[in-house]
């Protein structure tokens, strides 16, 4: 009886993760039942919808109701957009969809921030009350704090997916689904639901109506991606628990050299953690007969910031480009909406920081910028053609949460893209074939991206300042031999991780094909060996995936 209760009850301390044994037992049962329905599209869709809703309930509890509301709301609005003959009515329904989805996203990500800002500005001390937490505690026997905001797992991901559907219907890039069950399946297909990749409507919906297909080679490739992601996650947790978390939790206790290696380690950790999840998602989806697009393409092989963002979290980058950057005007000219969004972001930044000097500084910068634009036409053109890029990256930072540090991280990456855009025009290395020069450019890009991640990983500005203080005043290469001796296993894993990442793609493709062509017995033996080896690296309980918090 207790086991049955655990199966059908949400536990805030035990979300359903790809790395938990319970998930793989659940997935084997799903595959067994799927074998009875996969040949019929409607039964297959309905079955996987039910499975996905159960998965989300076990992951996020009461927020299953939010997911269901989002599905029904956007399904109805998309139908109205498609059926309407009036452009004005189509725009009205689309606007309602955008406003509804973004309002929910803003509430769950930023309501606590707005409440605290109101208290600061008004001098009041009204407590924050979370009605969702109260509802969950009452009906789902959870123990959430009522004075803190709960973030639904995956809300940023499924919100962008539902928006892509209504926008694509409006643009006539895809046909509407045949039923609300089909739409619900598109939104909450469990492999990609909680941490991506973000699936666009025009890339996925047509697959719902295609017959199930999975070749022998694709089966092997699916198993490869699942194991690849699993190994990445184990390595990411090992690096975090045994080194990186210690650095960022107490940076004042470590030298600049240790901190520098910790920063490079975090770049590898977050890549392995995030891409590990999407690798497993791609593999699981493929076993079920659906093809998800690649989300990472060895991003630390990039020789520039522009190339990096074409290789990193591709589903988010392409979503922002297609549904935000290009509609704002792309690289042609900034629109009124571009400057309004920039103003709102800066106001948000001032409220987050709570510093009047920042407000005065931004006003001064705005006045100087306006003067330069008026006096120098070429500068005006530069601002106009780059404002959309900066707005997109700043909003990409805000997408991660209501933190000054996320905005700064987004702004630094936007600045890096703009600088590279101009450097590319005069760079003597643009078409170099020298592997030495390309490796140097690759290291420079990695160092810049890792530097920006100090703001992404740090808990607060005090931690950021301490990290830079250690780098600037306590950097001693003489400590390196003792560090290597003390952290030999961690540094070995870190070095091997980067070397494997830098293997040429042609070699990677060969060993993927080699694995996928093995017999079932050979494949099973390799899987068991990898699982055994990876569990030697495990440090206690598996950690939640980093991007679950977004």
């Amino acid at each position: 009886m207790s086991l049955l209760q655990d199966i059908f009850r949400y536990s805030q301390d035990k979300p359903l993760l790809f790395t938990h044994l319970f998930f793989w037992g659940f997935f084997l049962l799903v595959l067994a039942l799927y074998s009875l329905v996969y040949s019929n599209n409607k039964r297959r869709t309905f079955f996987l919808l039910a499975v996905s809703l159960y998965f989300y309930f076990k992951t996020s509890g009461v927020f299953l109701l939010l997911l269901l509301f989002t599905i029904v709301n956007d399904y109805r609005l998309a139908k109205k957009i498609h059926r309407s003959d009036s452009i004005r009515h189509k725009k009205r329904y689309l606007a309602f969809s955008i406003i509804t989805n973004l309002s929910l996203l803003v509430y769950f990500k930023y309501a606590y921030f707005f409440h605290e800002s109101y208290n600061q500005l008004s001098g009041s001390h009204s407590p924050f009350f979370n009605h969702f937490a109260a509802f969950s505690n009452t009906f789902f026997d959870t123990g959430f704090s009522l004075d803190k905001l709960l973030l639904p797992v995956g809300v940023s991901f499924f919100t962008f997916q539902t928006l892509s559907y209504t926008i694509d219907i409006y643009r006539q890039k895809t046909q509407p689904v045949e039923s609300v069950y089909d739409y619900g399946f598109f939104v909450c297909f469990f492999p990609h639901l909680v941490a991506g990749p973000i699936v666009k409507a025009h890339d996925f919906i047509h697959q719902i109506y295609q017959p199930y297909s999975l070749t022998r080679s694709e089966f092997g490739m699916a198993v490869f991606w699942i194991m690849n992601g699993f190994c990445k996650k184990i390595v990411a947790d090992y690096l975090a628990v045994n080194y990186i978390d210690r650095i960022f939790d107490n940076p004042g206790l470590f030298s600049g050299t240790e901190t520098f290696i910790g920063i490079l380690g975090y770049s590898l950790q977050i890549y392995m953690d995030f891409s590990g999840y999407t690798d497993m998602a791609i593999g699981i989806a493929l076993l079920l007969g659906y093809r998800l697009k690649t989300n990472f393409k060895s991003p630390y092989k990039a020789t520039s910031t522009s190339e990096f963002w074409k290789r990193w979290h591709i589903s988010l980058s392409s979503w922002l480009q297609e549904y935000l950057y290009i509609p704002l005007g792309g690289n042609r000219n900034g629109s009124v909406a571009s400057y309004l969004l920039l103003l709102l972001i800066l106001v948000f930044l001032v409220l987050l920081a709570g510093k009047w000097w920042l407000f005065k500084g931004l006003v001064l910068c705005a006045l100087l910028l306006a003067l330069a634009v008026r006096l120098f036409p070429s500068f005006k053109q530069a601002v106009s053609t780059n404002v959309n890029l900066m707005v997109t990256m700043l909003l990409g930072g805000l997408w991660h949460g209501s933190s000054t540090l996320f905005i700064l991280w987004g702004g630094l990456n936007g600045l890096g893209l703009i600088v590279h855009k101009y450097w590319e025009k005069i760079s003597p290395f643009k078409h170099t074939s020298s592997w030495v020069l390309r490796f140097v450019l690759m290291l420079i890009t990695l160092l810049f991206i890792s530097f920006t991640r100090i703001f992404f990983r740090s808990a607060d500005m005090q931690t950021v300042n301490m990290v830079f203080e250690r780098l600037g005043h306590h950097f001693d290469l003489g400590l390196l031999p003792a560090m290597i001796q003390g952290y030999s296993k961690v540094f070995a894993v870190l070095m091997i991780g980067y070397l494997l990442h830098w293997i040429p793609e042609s070699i990677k493709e060969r060993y993927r094909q080699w694995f996928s062509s093995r017999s079932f017995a050979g494949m099973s033996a390799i899987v068991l060996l990898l699982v055994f080896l990876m569990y030697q690296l495990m440090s206690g309980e598996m950690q939640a995936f980093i991007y679950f918090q977004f």
Side-chain angles (χ1 to χ4, degrees), residues 284-304:
I284 292 168
L286 186 55
L287 285 179
L288 296 170
Y290 298 92
R291 281 77 181 165
L292 303 181
K293 289 195 170 183
T294 301
N295 206 25
F296 292 88
K297 291 183 178 178
S298 301
Y300 301 135
K301 290 180 181 177
T303 56
S304 68

Side-chain angles (χ1 to χ4, degrees), residues 46 51 86 94 111 172-173 259 267 283 296 304 307 316 322 367 381 393 402-403 418 431 443 466 468 495 516 536 545:
F46 190 80
V51 167
S86 167
L94 177 62
Q172 299 181 338
K173 289 189 68 174
T259 303
S267 280
F296 292 88
S304 68
E307 185 185 355
L316 176 61
E322 186 171 343
L367 291 173
Q381 180 65 20
M393 295 308 295
S402 56
S403 168
I418 292 169
H431 301 293
L443 289 181
M466 181 60 72
F468 281 115
M495 180 64 71
S516 65
Q536 308 312 305
F545 288 91

Side-chain angles (χ1 to χ4, degrees), residues 508-536:
K508 289 184 178 181
E509 188 59 34
R510 279 203 292 272
Y511 69 65
R512 289 172 195 150
Q513 294 295 338
W514 177 86
F515 177 87
S516 65
S517 63
R518 296 305 91 194
S519 65
F520 290 114
M523 206 178 291
S524 299
I526 295 170
V527 167
L528 289 174
L529 177 62
L530 283 173
V531 170
F532 173 77
L533 292 174
M534 286 299 105
Y535 270 98
Q536 308 312 305

Side-chain angles (χ1 to χ4, degrees), residues 322-342:
E322 186 171 343
Y323 298 105
L324 178 65
Y325 178 67
I326 293 175
L328 285 175
N331 61 2
R332 299 187 306 276
N333 277 303
S335 61
V336 173
S338 307
Y339 294 101
L340 284 175
L341 283 172
L342 184 59

Side-chain angles (χ1 to χ4, degrees), residues 71-280:
I71 289 169
V72 173
N73 181 63
D74 283 311
Y75 172 73
R76 288 171 59 84
L77 288 171
K79 281 184 68 175
K80 290 180 177 181
I81 292 170
H82 180 69
R83 290 176 177 176
S84 177
D85 295 324
S86 167
I87 293 296
R88 184 165 61 89
H89 288 164
K90 285 178 181 285
K91 288 183 177 180
R92 182 187 300 167
Y93 296 136
L94 177 62
F96 189 71
S97 171
I98 293 172
I99 291 169
T100 303
N101 281 289
L102 292 185
S103 295
L104 289 171
L105 186 62
V106 167
Y107 172 77
F108 285 108
K109 280 196 172 258
Y110 313 115
Y112 188 79
F113 153 72
F114 285 123
H115 181 269
E116 291 300 300
S117 297
Y118 171 78
N119 279 346
Q120 288 180 0
L121 293 172
S122 64
S124 63
H125 300 282
S126 63
F128 182 84
F129 185 80
N130 190 330
H131 295 279
F132 275 91
F135 182 85
S136 180
N137 292 348
T138 302
F139 293 99
F140 293 90
D141 196 28
T142 51
F144 291 119
S145 174
L146 300 181
D147 60 349
K148 297 292 182 184
L149 189 65
L150 292 180
L151 182 66
V153 174
V155 64
S156 300
F157 293 92
F158 68 71
T159 298
F160 275 20
Q161 285 183 197
T162 56
L163 282 174
S164 81
Y165 178 69
T166 51
I167 295 171
D168 282 354
I169 293 293
Y170 174 80
R171 293 176 175 176
Q172 299 181 338
K173 289 189 68 174
T174 191
Q175 291 297 309
V177 293
E178 294 177 4
S179 71
V180 69
Y181 304 111
D182 294 340
Y183 182 64
F185 169 61
F186 156 67
V187 174
C188 64
F189 183 35
F190 74 93
H192 67 69
L193 175 59
V194 296
I198 299 169
V199 177
K200 298 174 192 171
H202 60 264
D203 289 333
F204 187 84
I205 283 176
H206 66 278
Q207 296 186 52
I208 297 175
Y209 306 108
Q210 294 174 346
Y212 177 87
S213 67
L214 184 71
T215 65
R216 171 67 180 77
S217 177
E218 286 177 327
F219 173 83
M221 197 60 74
V223 175
F224 172 86
W225 285 121
I226 291 170
M227 290 310 303
N228 197 57
F230 173 76
C231 294
K232 283 181 178 179
K233 176 57 178 169
I234 298 292
V235 171
D237 281 3
Y238 178 82
L239 292 172
V241 170
N242 292 284
Y243 192 77
I244 297 161
D245 287 351
R246 301 177 190 180
I247 298 290
F248 282 95
D249 288 344
N250 296 286
L253 300 180
F254 297 90
S255 68
T257 315
E258 290 169 307
T259 303
F260 177 74
I261 295 175
I263 293 165
L264 292 177
Y266 181 65
S267 280
L268 186 65
Q269 179 208 341
I270 193 172
Y271 164 72
M272 288 198 157
D273 188 281
F274 193 12
S275 70
Y277 181 93
T278 55
D279 284 353
M280 284 191 276

